[in-house]
Amino acid sequence: MARGDGKLTHDLNPAEQGPQDACGVFGVWAPGEEVAKLTYFGLYALQHRGQEAAGIAVSDGTSILVYKDLGLVSQVFDEATLATLRGQIAVGHNRYSTTGSSTWENSQPAFRTTKTGTGVALAHNGNLVNTAELAEQLRGERSRGAQPVATTDSDLLTELLAAHPDVSLEEAAMRALPTFRGAFSLVFMDEHTLYAARDPQGVRPLALGRLERGWVVTSETAALDIVGASFVREIEPGELLAIDEDGLRSQRFANPDPKNCVFEYVYLARPDSILAGRSVHSSRVEIGRRLAREHPVEADLVMPTPESGTPAAIGYAEESGIPYGMGLVKNAYVGRTFIQPSQTIRQLGIRLKLNPLRDVIRGKRLVVVDDSIVRGNTQRQVVRMLREAGAVEVHVRISSPPVKWPCFYGIDFASRAELIASGLDVEGIRASIGADSLGYLSQEGMIAATEQPKSRLCLACFDGSYPIPLPQMIGKHVLEGIERGVSEPAREPIAENR
Ligand code: SF4
């Protein structure tokens, strides 16, 4: 998996990575409240969606201040920093890079000034598929005085929004949003107004919440609970929402054609989030029940690969009547580290992350439930580790169908050639990971567990049917080389923290 050139954080072993989340976005409009702190806690709740960089932009009504850096939310912000971010509107972002490298410049919120001197700060979850086309459009705008340099699709969006000097940001957004193709759940702002917009397919989630004295927009509803906001509704696909002292204004910039990412239900979203009215945890437990019906096996213990496999393992155990237990303990904080691991440490691979409970495993026939298989490296090592710990049989059950196609809408799986299921059938994968048996949930079973109609879901990584057409030349670094070196970066009123 291409992971950019991270300068601070390091994967202990990139080959062990499962699917990587896109990003988390969070916005607050709440005069009189500590909007930066609310955003901090919102981002904290969304940390699972991106761990490479974090940032918060605030407006006090006259200017916008942006603070961002590489690292986890807790590493980027402290009490003193948050105290300097005063205002009534805030936009926050957790980044995992799906376009552009993992550098400070590419972290978000992205910021631009318009020709009239007002600011635009933007946080983006998703991935555009027409960046090359938009970059061309920007060249046209540049000739009319727009600011240069964009190295991510999110940066490009910000520039395009700021490129209309003679209209309000709201009007600029209504002009620009219909030209964006791909997945975009956006939270952005100028000095006075918070905006939220979601692509016509609504690929990535985006929800609206109510504070006692204000509004919140978030990637996932779980973050609403954490900041004490109540859920109001999802931002509709194709909707632009504006929030300011005049209240809420909703406009449609495109007809909705919902294709929600099914992988949010399987793996990406927090279990305590609600997607399209369906509890993610309930979906995963139901997935496990269906998995037990589709792929039963005689065994002594059902256990998850922690932690994403846990609800499905509970469902499998309930349905099969086989006892549920924990056979692996996750070393929760070792996944991303600021210490560059040596080759010797890298070779420890999965052992750095998972530790077997030998007393639980020894002499048992195990059902091991995991959310997906990308390259197969993790599962191969888990099976070997469990056998070494004394398991007599290891039956692997996967709570999604085989991932055969890459995602172009914000999830970094791997290239097609790297996906084990694009080259091997189920028996071939079973042999490759060394399991006694292997069972994947059917596509029908997965869809049924979400309680969404198939027509409203994106299933492209499973069936190759991409709901948003892809241009021929597309990839993570599509903007690099097109945009770099065109001219000097624009000066931004940013509190740098490099
Ligand atoms: S391709 Fe897969 S991961 Fe990507 S949006 Fe579609 S369902 Fe989600």
Side-chain angles (χ1 to χ4, degrees), residues 19 183 203-204 259-264 268 403 405-413 446 457-462 465-467:
V203 175
R204 300 276 147 244
K259 302 286 178 203
N260 303 162
C261 170
V262 75
F263 220 72
E264 294 276 354
L268 300 172
V403 175
W405 302 86
C407 174
F408 295 101
Y409 310 137
I411 305 306
D412 202 355
F413 282 124
M446 176 179 66
L457 293 170
C458 174
L459 299 154
C461 49
F462 304 112
S465 173
Y466 291 93

PDB file of all heavy atoms in Angstrom, residues 19 183 203-204 259-264 268 403 405-413 446 457-462 465-467, ligand 1:
ATOM      1  N   PRO A  19      -7.537  -2.143   5.644  1.00  0.00           N
ATOM      2  CA  PRO A  19      -8.057  -0.967   4.965  1.00  0.00           C
ATOM      3  C   PRO A  19      -7.849   0.273   5.820  1.00  0.00           C
ATOM      4  O   PRO A  19      -8.059   0.219   7.027  1.00  0.00           O
ATOM      5  CB  PRO A  19      -9.546  -1.279   4.783  1.00  0.00           C
ATOM      6  CG  PRO A  19      -9.834  -2.403   5.709  1.00  0.00           C
ATOM      7  CD  PRO A  19      -8.557  -3.146   5.904  1.00  0.00           C
ATOM      8  N   ALA A 183     -16.172  11.316  -3.968  1.00  0.00           N
ATOM      9  CA  ALA A 183     -16.712  11.328  -2.612  1.00  0.00           C
ATOM     10  C   ALA A 183     -16.244  12.585  -1.895  1.00  0.00           C
ATOM     11  O   ALA A 183     -15.046  12.844  -1.824  1.00  0.00           O
ATOM     12  CB  ALA A 183     -16.239  10.086  -1.858  1.00  0.00           C
ATOM     13  N   VAL A 203     -21.413   9.198  -0.404  1.00  0.00           N
ATOM     14  CA  VAL A 203     -20.551   8.023  -0.185  1.00  0.00           C
ATOM     15  C   VAL A 203     -20.080   7.971   1.261  1.00  0.00           C
ATOM     16  O   VAL A 203     -20.205   6.953   1.938  1.00  0.00           O
ATOM     17  CB  VAL A 203     -19.345   8.045  -1.154  1.00  0.00           C
ATOM     18  CG1 VAL A 203     -18.401   6.884  -0.843  1.00  0.00           C
ATOM     19  CG2 VAL A 203     -19.807   7.980  -2.599  1.00  0.00           C
ATOM     20  N   ARG A 204     -19.548   9.085   1.740  1.00  0.00           N
ATOM     21  CA  ARG A 204     -19.085   9.150   3.134  1.00  0.00           C
ATOM     22  C   ARG A 204     -20.178   9.783   4.005  1.00  0.00           C
ATOM     23  O   ARG A 204     -20.922  10.630   3.536  1.00  0.00           O
ATOM     24  CB  ARG A 204     -17.805   9.988   3.239  1.00  0.00           C
ATOM     25  CG  ARG A 204     -16.649   9.464   2.443  1.00  0.00           C
ATOM     26  CD  ARG A 204     -15.852   8.389   3.162  1.00  0.00           C
ATOM     27  NE  ARG A 204     -15.337   7.456   2.169  1.00  0.00           N
ATOM     28  CZ  ARG A 204     -15.669   6.177   2.099  1.00  0.00           C
ATOM     29  NH1 ARG A 204     -16.459   5.651   3.001  1.00  0.00           N
ATOM     30  NH2 ARG A 204     -15.199   5.402   1.150  1.00  0.00           N
ATOM     31  N   LYS A 259     -25.421   6.370  -2.723  1.00  0.00           N
ATOM     32  CA  LYS A 259     -24.591   5.160  -2.854  1.00  0.00           C
ATOM     33  C   LYS A 259     -23.649   5.145  -1.651  1.00  0.00           C
ATOM     34  O   LYS A 259     -22.447   5.367  -1.772  1.00  0.00           O
ATOM     35  CB  LYS A 259     -23.756   5.195  -4.148  1.00  0.00           C
ATOM     36  CG  LYS A 259     -24.554   5.335  -5.422  1.00  0.00           C
ATOM     37  CD  LYS A 259     -25.280   4.056  -5.794  1.00  0.00           C
ATOM     38  CE  LYS A 259     -26.103   4.270  -7.062  1.00  0.00           C
ATOM     39  NZ  LYS A 259     -27.201   3.299  -7.168  1.00  0.00           N
ATOM     40  N   ASN A 260     -24.230   4.926  -0.482  1.00  0.00           N
ATOM     41  CA  ASN A 260     -23.413   4.959   0.746  1.00  0.00           C
ATOM     42  C   ASN A 260     -22.396   3.829   0.748  1.00  0.00           C
ATOM     43  O   ASN A 260     -22.703   2.708   0.340  1.00  0.00           O
ATOM     44  CB  ASN A 260     -24.301   4.822   1.984  1.00  0.00           C
ATOM     45  CG  ASN A 260     -25.393   5.891   2.074  1.00  0.00           C
ATOM     46  OD1 ASN A 260     -26.335   5.721   2.798  1.00  0.00           O
ATOM     47  ND2 ASN A 260     -25.267   6.977   1.323  1.00  0.00           N
ATOM     48  N   CYS A 261     -21.226   4.118   1.268  1.00  0.00           N
ATOM     49  CA  CYS A 261     -20.155   3.116   1.342  1.00  0.00           C
ATOM     50  C   CYS A 261     -20.557   1.987   2.288  1.00  0.00           C
ATOM     51  O   CYS A 261     -20.736   2.209   3.487  1.00  0.00           O
ATOM     52  CB  CYS A 261     -18.875   3.786   1.847  1.00  0.00           C
ATOM     53  SG  CYS A 261     -17.569   2.610   2.244  1.00  0.00           S
ATOM     54  N   VAL A 262     -20.674   0.775   1.767  1.00  0.00           N
ATOM     55  CA  VAL A 262     -21.083  -0.350   2.611  1.00  0.00           C
ATOM     56  C   VAL A 262     -19.983  -0.705   3.618  1.00  0.00           C
ATOM     57  O   VAL A 262     -20.242  -1.267   4.685  1.00  0.00           O
ATOM     58  CB  VAL A 262     -21.466  -1.567   1.738  1.00  0.00           C
ATOM     59  CG1 VAL A 262     -20.241  -2.256   1.156  1.00  0.00           C
ATOM     60  CG2 VAL A 262     -22.301  -2.573   2.516  1.00  0.00           C
ATOM     61  N   PHE A 263     -18.749  -0.332   3.292  1.00  0.00           N
ATOM     62  CA  PHE A 263     -17.632  -0.666   4.165  1.00  0.00           C
ATOM     63  C   PHE A 263     -17.650   0.136   5.466  1.00  0.00           C
ATOM     64  O   PHE A 263     -17.027  -0.244   6.442  1.00  0.00           O
ATOM     65  CB  PHE A 263     -16.312  -0.460   3.414  1.00  0.00           C
ATOM     66  CG  PHE A 263     -15.322  -1.542   3.714  1.00  0.00           C
ATOM     67  CD1 PHE A 263     -15.502  -2.814   3.221  1.00  0.00           C
ATOM     68  CD2 PHE A 263     -14.231  -1.305   4.511  1.00  0.00           C
ATOM     69  CE1 PHE A 263     -14.617  -3.818   3.519  1.00  0.00           C
ATOM     70  CE2 PHE A 263     -13.330  -2.299   4.811  1.00  0.00           C
ATOM     71  CZ  PHE A 263     -13.519  -3.569   4.317  1.00  0.00           C
ATOM     72  N   GLU A 264     -18.394   1.252   5.456  1.00  0.00           N
ATOM     73  CA  GLU A 264     -18.570   1.987   6.713  1.00  0.00           C
ATOM     74  C   GLU A 264     -19.261   1.085   7.731  1.00  0.00           C
ATOM     75  O   GLU A 264     -18.923   1.087   8.906  1.00  0.00           O
ATOM     76  CB  GLU A 264     -19.403   3.258   6.486  1.00  0.00           C
ATOM     77  CG  GLU A 264     -18.730   4.309   5.605  1.00  0.00           C
ATOM     78  CD  GLU A 264     -17.761   5.223   6.349  1.00  0.00           C
ATOM     79  OE1 GLU A 264     -17.682   5.141   7.584  1.00  0.00           O
ATOM     80  OE2 GLU A 264     -17.062   6.006   5.676  1.00  0.00           O
ATOM     81  N   LEU A 268     -15.403   0.617   8.829  1.00  0.00           N
ATOM     82  CA  LEU A 268     -14.835   1.952   9.000  1.00  0.00           C
ATOM     83  C   LEU A 268     -15.426   2.733  10.171  1.00  0.00           C
ATOM     84  O   LEU A 268     -14.703   3.315  10.964  1.00  0.00           O
ATOM     85  CB  LEU A 268     -15.012   2.767   7.713  1.00  0.00           C
ATOM     86  CG  LEU A 268     -14.344   2.167   6.481  1.00  0.00           C
ATOM     87  CD1 LEU A 268     -14.731   2.936   5.242  1.00  0.00           C
ATOM     88  CD2 LEU A 268     -12.831   2.188   6.661  1.00  0.00           C
ATOM     89  N   VAL A 403     -12.554  -8.742  -1.031  1.00  0.00           N
ATOM     90  CA  VAL A 403     -12.243  -7.417  -1.595  1.00  0.00           C
ATOM     91  C   VAL A 403     -11.384  -7.636  -2.829  1.00  0.00           C
ATOM     92  O   VAL A 403     -10.232  -8.085  -2.733  1.00  0.00           O
ATOM     93  CB  VAL A 403     -11.497  -6.543  -0.561  1.00  0.00           C
ATOM     94  CG1 VAL A 403     -11.067  -5.223  -1.187  1.00  0.00           C
ATOM     95  CG2 VAL A 403     -12.370  -6.284   0.656  1.00  0.00           C
ATOM     96  N   TRP A 405     -11.405  -5.237  -5.624  1.00  0.00           N
ATOM     97  CA  TRP A 405     -11.194  -4.012  -6.392  1.00  0.00           C
ATOM     98  C   TRP A 405     -10.744  -2.892  -5.482  1.00  0.00           C
ATOM     99  O   TRP A 405     -11.213  -2.801  -4.348  1.00  0.00           O
ATOM    100  CB  TRP A 405     -12.489  -3.605  -7.111  1.00  0.00           C
ATOM    101  CG  TRP A 405     -12.996  -4.668  -8.032  1.00  0.00           C
ATOM    102  CD1 TRP A 405     -13.797  -5.724  -7.697  1.00  0.00           C
ATOM    103  CD2 TRP A 405     -12.712  -4.807  -9.427  1.00  0.00           C
ATOM    104  NE1 TRP A 405     -14.035  -6.496  -8.797  1.00  0.00           N
ATOM    105  CE2 TRP A 405     -13.389  -5.959  -9.878  1.00  0.00           C
ATOM    106  CE3 TRP A 405     -11.962  -4.047 -10.331  1.00  0.00           C
ATOM    107  CZ2 TRP A 405     -13.324  -6.376 -11.203  1.00  0.00           C
ATOM    108  CZ3 TRP A 405     -11.908  -4.463 -11.647  1.00  0.00           C
ATOM    109  CH2 TRP A 405     -12.573  -5.621 -12.070  1.00  0.00           C
ATOM    110  N   PRO A 406      -9.905  -1.988  -5.967  1.00  0.00           N
ATOM    111  CA  PRO A 406      -9.510  -0.857  -5.125  1.00  0.00           C
ATOM    112  C   PRO A 406     -10.655   0.132  -4.955  1.00  0.00           C
ATOM    113  O   PRO A 406     -11.601   0.141  -5.745  1.00  0.00           O
ATOM    114  CB  PRO A 406      -8.348  -0.214  -5.896  1.00  0.00           C
ATOM    115  CG  PRO A 406      -8.383  -0.766  -7.261  1.00  0.00           C
ATOM    116  CD  PRO A 406      -9.243  -1.987  -7.279  1.00  0.00           C
ATOM    117  N   CYS A 407     -10.544   0.951  -3.924  1.00  0.00           N
ATOM    118  CA  CYS A 407     -11.529   2.013  -3.689  1.00  0.00           C
ATOM    119  C   CYS A 407     -10.952   3.337  -4.188  1.00  0.00           C
ATOM    120  O   CYS A 407      -9.808   3.665  -3.864  1.00  0.00           O
ATOM    121  CB  CYS A 407     -11.842   2.130  -2.205  1.00  0.00           C
ATOM    122  SG  CYS A 407     -12.909   3.530  -1.816  1.00  0.00           S
ATOM    123  N   PHE A 408     -11.738   4.091  -4.932  1.00  0.00           N
ATOM    124  CA  PHE A 408     -11.299   5.411  -5.388  1.00  0.00           C
ATOM    125  C   PHE A 408     -12.074   6.524  -4.678  1.00  0.00           C
ATOM    126  O   PHE A 408     -12.011   7.676  -5.073  1.00  0.00           O
ATOM    127  CB  PHE A 408     -11.472   5.532  -6.906  1.00  0.00           C
ATOM    128  CG  PHE A 408     -10.585   4.587  -7.656  1.00  0.00           C
ATOM    129  CD1 PHE A 408     -11.093   3.406  -8.171  1.00  0.00           C
ATOM    130  CD2 PHE A 408      -9.236   4.855  -7.819  1.00  0.00           C
ATOM    131  CE1 PHE A 408     -10.276   2.515  -8.857  1.00  0.00           C
ATOM    132  CE2 PHE A 408      -8.407   3.974  -8.493  1.00  0.00           C
ATOM    133  CZ  PHE A 408      -8.928   2.799  -9.008  1.00  0.00           C
ATOM    134  N   TYR A 409     -12.840   6.137  -3.648  1.00  0.00           N
ATOM    135  CA  TYR A 409     -13.694   7.118  -2.988  1.00  0.00           C
ATOM    136  C   TYR A 409     -13.264   7.367  -1.544  1.00  0.00           C
ATOM    137  O   TYR A 409     -14.083   7.671  -0.698  1.00  0.00           O
ATOM    138  CB  TYR A 409     -15.154   6.651  -3.030  1.00  0.00           C
ATOM    139  CG  TYR A 409     -15.629   6.242  -4.405  1.00  0.00           C
ATOM    140  CD1 TYR A 409     -16.392   5.097  -4.593  1.00  0.00           C
ATOM    141  CD2 TYR A 409     -15.321   7.013  -5.533  1.00  0.00           C
ATOM    142  CE1 TYR A 409     -16.842   4.717  -5.844  1.00  0.00           C
ATOM    143  CE2 TYR A 409     -15.753   6.645  -6.793  1.00  0.00           C
ATOM    144  CZ  TYR A 409     -16.505   5.492  -6.948  1.00  0.00           C
ATOM    145  OH  TYR A 409     -16.941   5.120  -8.194  1.00  0.00           O
ATOM    146  N   GLY A 410     -11.965   7.160  -1.263  1.00  0.00           N
ATOM    147  CA  GLY A 410     -11.478   7.603   0.042  1.00  0.00           C
ATOM    148  C   GLY A 410     -10.957   6.527   0.967  1.00  0.00           C
ATOM    149  O   GLY A 410     -10.558   6.833   2.084  1.00  0.00           O
ATOM    150  N   ILE A 411     -10.981   5.250   0.556  1.00  0.00           N
ATOM    151  CA  ILE A 411     -10.426   4.208   1.411  1.00  0.00           C
ATOM    152  C   ILE A 411      -9.213   3.607   0.721  1.00  0.00           C
ATOM    153  O   ILE A 411      -9.278   3.220  -0.445  1.00  0.00           O
ATOM    154  CB  ILE A 411     -11.459   3.090   1.687  1.00  0.00           C
ATOM    155  CG1 ILE A 411     -12.727   3.687   2.270  1.00  0.00           C
ATOM    156  CG2 ILE A 411     -10.879   2.038   2.638  1.00  0.00           C
ATOM    157  CD1 ILE A 411     -12.524   4.544   3.491  1.00  0.00           C
ATOM    158  N   ASP A 412      -8.123   3.529   1.456  1.00  0.00           N
ATOM    159  CA  ASP A 412      -6.871   3.056   0.888  1.00  0.00           C
ATOM    160  C   ASP A 412      -6.718   1.568   1.195  1.00  0.00           C
ATOM    161  O   ASP A 412      -6.254   1.187   2.256  1.00  0.00           O
ATOM    162  CB  ASP A 412      -5.720   3.857   1.521  1.00  0.00           C
ATOM    163  CG  ASP A 412      -4.486   3.831   0.644  1.00  0.00           C
ATOM    164  OD1 ASP A 412      -4.507   3.117  -0.383  1.00  0.00           O
ATOM    165  OD2 ASP A 412      -3.515   4.520   0.984  1.00  0.00           O
ATOM    166  N   PHE A 413      -7.178   0.709   0.267  1.00  0.00           N
ATOM    167  CA  PHE A 413      -7.004  -0.730   0.466  1.00  0.00           C
ATOM    168  C   PHE A 413      -5.619  -1.144   0.004  1.00  0.00           C
ATOM    169  O   PHE A 413      -4.779  -1.576   0.735  1.00  0.00           O
ATOM    170  CB  PHE A 413      -8.001  -1.524  -0.390  1.00  0.00           C
ATOM    171  CG  PHE A 413      -9.373  -1.565   0.167  1.00  0.00           C
ATOM    172  CD1 PHE A 413     -10.439  -1.136  -0.583  1.00  0.00           C
ATOM    173  CD2 PHE A 413      -9.609  -2.062   1.422  1.00  0.00           C
ATOM    174  CE1 PHE A 413     -11.715  -1.188  -0.095  1.00  0.00           C
ATOM    175  CE2 PHE A 413     -10.889  -2.120   1.925  1.00  0.00           C
ATOM    176  CZ  PHE A 413     -11.946  -1.681   1.152  1.00  0.00           C
ATOM    177  N   MET A 446     -24.338  -9.411   3.518  1.00  0.00           N
ATOM    178  CA  MET A 446     -23.796  -8.141   4.002  1.00  0.00           C
ATOM    179  C   MET A 446     -24.816  -7.016   3.785  1.00  0.00           C
ATOM    180  O   MET A 446     -25.058  -6.200   4.686  1.00  0.00           O
ATOM    181  CB  MET A 446     -22.491  -7.826   3.251  1.00  0.00           C
ATOM    182  CG  MET A 446     -21.877  -6.487   3.604  1.00  0.00           C
ATOM    183  SD  MET A 446     -20.345  -6.197   2.706  1.00  0.00           S
ATOM    184  CE  MET A 446     -20.920  -6.088   1.011  1.00  0.00           C
ATOM    185  N   LEU A 457     -26.379   1.559  -2.033  1.00  0.00           N
ATOM    186  CA  LEU A 457     -25.057   1.265  -1.485  1.00  0.00           C
ATOM    187  C   LEU A 457     -23.993   1.237  -2.571  1.00  0.00           C
ATOM    188  O   LEU A 457     -24.253   0.805  -3.699  1.00  0.00           O
ATOM    189  CB  LEU A 457     -25.070  -0.089  -0.780  1.00  0.00           C
ATOM    190  CG  LEU A 457     -25.905  -0.194   0.496  1.00  0.00           C
ATOM    191  CD1 LEU A 457     -26.011  -1.645   0.936  1.00  0.00           C
ATOM    192  CD2 LEU A 457     -25.324   0.662   1.619  1.00  0.00           C
ATOM    193  N   CYS A 458     -22.785   1.682  -2.205  1.00  0.00           N
ATOM    194  CA  CYS A 458     -21.614   1.430  -3.043  1.00  0.00           C
ATOM    195  C   CYS A 458     -21.042   0.084  -2.618  1.00  0.00           C
ATOM    196  O   CYS A 458     -20.836  -0.167  -1.434  1.00  0.00           O
ATOM    197  CB  CYS A 458     -20.559   2.524  -2.859  1.00  0.00           C
ATOM    198  SG  CYS A 458     -19.029   2.141  -3.766  1.00  0.00           S
ATOM    199  N   LEU A 459     -20.808  -0.787  -3.606  1.00  0.00           N
ATOM    200  CA  LEU A 459     -20.250  -2.130  -3.354  1.00  0.00           C
ATOM    201  C   LEU A 459     -19.027  -2.363  -4.232  1.00  0.00           C
ATOM    202  O   LEU A 459     -18.624  -3.507  -4.461  1.00  0.00           O
ATOM    203  CB  LEU A 459     -21.325  -3.185  -3.672  1.00  0.00           C
ATOM    204  CG  LEU A 459     -22.604  -3.099  -2.828  1.00  0.00           C
ATOM    205  CD1 LEU A 459     -23.785  -3.675  -3.568  1.00  0.00           C
ATOM    206  CD2 LEU A 459     -22.401  -3.820  -1.505  1.00  0.00           C
ATOM    207  N   ALA A 460     -18.456  -1.260  -4.738  1.00  0.00           N
ATOM    208  CA  ALA A 460     -17.465  -1.370  -5.818  1.00  0.00           C
ATOM    209  C   ALA A 460     -16.255  -2.220  -5.456  1.00  0.00           C
ATOM    210  O   ALA A 460     -15.742  -2.957  -6.302  1.00  0.00           O
ATOM    211  CB  ALA A 460     -17.016   0.022  -6.235  1.00  0.00           C
ATOM    212  N   CYS A 461     -15.779  -2.161  -4.220  1.00  0.00           N
ATOM    213  CA  CYS A 461     -14.572  -2.931  -3.894  1.00  0.00           C
ATOM    214  C   CYS A 461     -14.865  -4.432  -3.879  1.00  0.00           C
ATOM    215  O   CYS A 461     -13.944  -5.238  -3.909  1.00  0.00           O
ATOM    216  CB  CYS A 461     -13.949  -2.468  -2.587  1.00  0.00           C
ATOM    217  SG  CYS A 461     -15.102  -2.326  -1.232  1.00  0.00           S
ATOM    218  N   PHE A 462     -16.135  -4.784  -3.847  1.00  0.00           N
ATOM    219  CA  PHE A 462     -16.500  -6.205  -3.881  1.00  0.00           C
ATOM    220  C   PHE A 462     -16.895  -6.669  -5.277  1.00  0.00           C
ATOM    221  O   PHE A 462     -16.608  -7.789  -5.664  1.00  0.00           O
ATOM    222  CB  PHE A 462     -17.652  -6.474  -2.905  1.00  0.00           C
ATOM    223  CG  PHE A 462     -17.350  -6.058  -1.501  1.00  0.00           C
ATOM    224  CD1 PHE A 462     -18.014  -4.996  -0.910  1.00  0.00           C
ATOM    225  CD2 PHE A 462     -16.366  -6.710  -0.771  1.00  0.00           C
ATOM    226  CE1 PHE A 462     -17.710  -4.591   0.385  1.00  0.00           C
ATOM    227  CE2 PHE A 462     -16.059  -6.320   0.523  1.00  0.00           C
ATOM    228  CZ  PHE A 462     -16.733  -5.259   1.102  1.00  0.00           C
ATOM    229  N   SER A 465     -18.240  -2.624  -9.583  1.00  0.00           N
ATOM    230  CA  SER A 465     -19.204  -1.740 -10.239  1.00  0.00           C
ATOM    231  C   SER A 465     -19.148  -0.371  -9.554  1.00  0.00           C
ATOM    232  O   SER A 465     -19.760  -0.165  -8.500  1.00  0.00           O
ATOM    233  CB  SER A 465     -20.587  -2.384 -10.116  1.00  0.00           C
ATOM    234  OG  SER A 465     -21.552  -1.508 -10.585  1.00  0.00           O
ATOM    235  N   TYR A 466     -18.401   0.555 -10.150  1.00  0.00           N
ATOM    236  CA  TYR A 466     -18.156   1.852  -9.524  1.00  0.00           C
ATOM    237  C   TYR A 466     -19.326   2.800  -9.798  1.00  0.00           C
ATOM    238  O   TYR A 466     -19.602   3.103 -10.958  1.00  0.00           O
ATOM    239  CB  TYR A 466     -16.840   2.453 -10.029  1.00  0.00           C
ATOM    240  CG  TYR A 466     -15.634   1.680  -9.532  1.00  0.00           C
ATOM    241  CD1 TYR A 466     -15.082   0.660 -10.287  1.00  0.00           C
ATOM    242  CD2 TYR A 466     -15.080   1.952  -8.290  1.00  0.00           C
ATOM    243  CE1 TYR A 466     -13.997  -0.068  -9.830  1.00  0.00           C
ATOM    244  CE2 TYR A 466     -13.986   1.231  -7.813  1.00  0.00           C
ATOM    245  CZ  TYR A 466     -13.455   0.223  -8.583  1.00  0.00           C
ATOM    246  OH  TYR A 466     -12.378  -0.495  -8.121  1.00  0.00           O
ATOM    247  N   PRO A 467     -20.014   3.259  -8.758  1.00  0.00           N
ATOM    248  CA  PRO A 467     -21.208   4.080  -8.987  1.00  0.00           C
ATOM    249  C   PRO A 467     -20.900   5.481  -9.511  1.00  0.00           C
ATOM    250  O   PRO A 467     -21.772   6.114 -10.092  1.00  0.00           O
ATOM    251  CB  PRO A 467     -21.858   4.150  -7.601  1.00  0.00           C
ATOM    252  CG  PRO A 467     -20.753   3.907  -6.634  1.00  0.00           C
ATOM    253  CD  PRO A 467     -19.792   3.001  -7.331  1.00  0.00           C
TER     254      PRO A 467
HETATM  255  S1  SF4 B   1     -15.365   0.992  -3.125  1.00  0.00           S
HETATM  256 FE1  SF4 B   1     -15.759  -0.118  -1.173  1.00  0.00          FE
HETATM  257  S2  SF4 B   1     -14.678   1.113   0.392  1.00  0.00           S
HETATM  258 FE2  SF4 B   1     -14.855   2.391  -1.447  1.00  0.00          FE
HETATM  259  S3  SF4 B   1     -16.721   3.596  -1.148  1.00  0.00           S
HETATM  260 FE3  SF4 B   1     -17.306   1.762  -2.323  1.00  0.00          FE
HETATM  261  S4  SF4 B   1     -17.911   0.251  -0.741  1.00  0.00           S
HETATM  262 FE4  SF4 B   1     -16.776   1.866   0.276  1.00  0.00          FE
END
